[in-house]
């Protein structure tokens, strides 16, 4: 299980892109994610879950948003079992 702090940048031209933060502690990783989808009706959250599932090679059901559903700073949990 991995707890992850994510800084989401919706509506970005760079996206989809995941950038790891090298200064984050290993037990609580931090990444910045650039998404093309806008934060409208959960589109950015859905794209975030799909992108992180692909990035960490897990199923989408194993990626869950714990806090920050309406914020650009989100806390996620990824189950790697």
């Amino acid at each position: 299980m991995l707890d992850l702090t994510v800084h989401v940048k919706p509506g970005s031209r760079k996206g989809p892109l995941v950038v790891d933060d090298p200064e984050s502690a290993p037990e609580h990783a931090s990444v910045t994610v650039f998404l093309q989808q806008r934060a409208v009706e959960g589109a950015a959250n859905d794209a975030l879950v799909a992108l992180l599932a692909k990035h960490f090679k897990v199923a989408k059901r194993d990626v869950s948003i714990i806090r920050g559903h309406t914020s650009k700073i989100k806390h996620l949990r990824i189950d790697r079992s």
Side-chain angles (χ1 to χ4, degrees), residues 15-79:
L17 178 66
V18 177
V19 179
D20 295 321
D21 181 4
E23 296 180 13
S24 64
E27 65 275 1
H28 194 82
S30 177
V31 297
T32 300
V33 178
F34 297 89
L35 297 172
Q36 292 177 338
Q37 291 80 0
R38 295 252 175 228
V40 178
E41 297 182 9
N45 285 343
D46 294 341
L48 174 66
V49 168
L51 181 62
L52 289 178
K54 184 176 178 181
H55 181 77
F56 288 104
K57 296 179 176 82
V58 296
K60 286 192 271 186
R61 70 177 175 272
D62 294 331
V63 179
S64 55
I65 300 173
I66 304 301
R67 285 193 319 259
H69 287 80
T70 60
S71 173
K72 289 184 181 182
I73 305 292
K74 300 181 185 301
H75 298 277
L76 284 85
R77 181 162 289 144
I78 299 172
D79 187 13

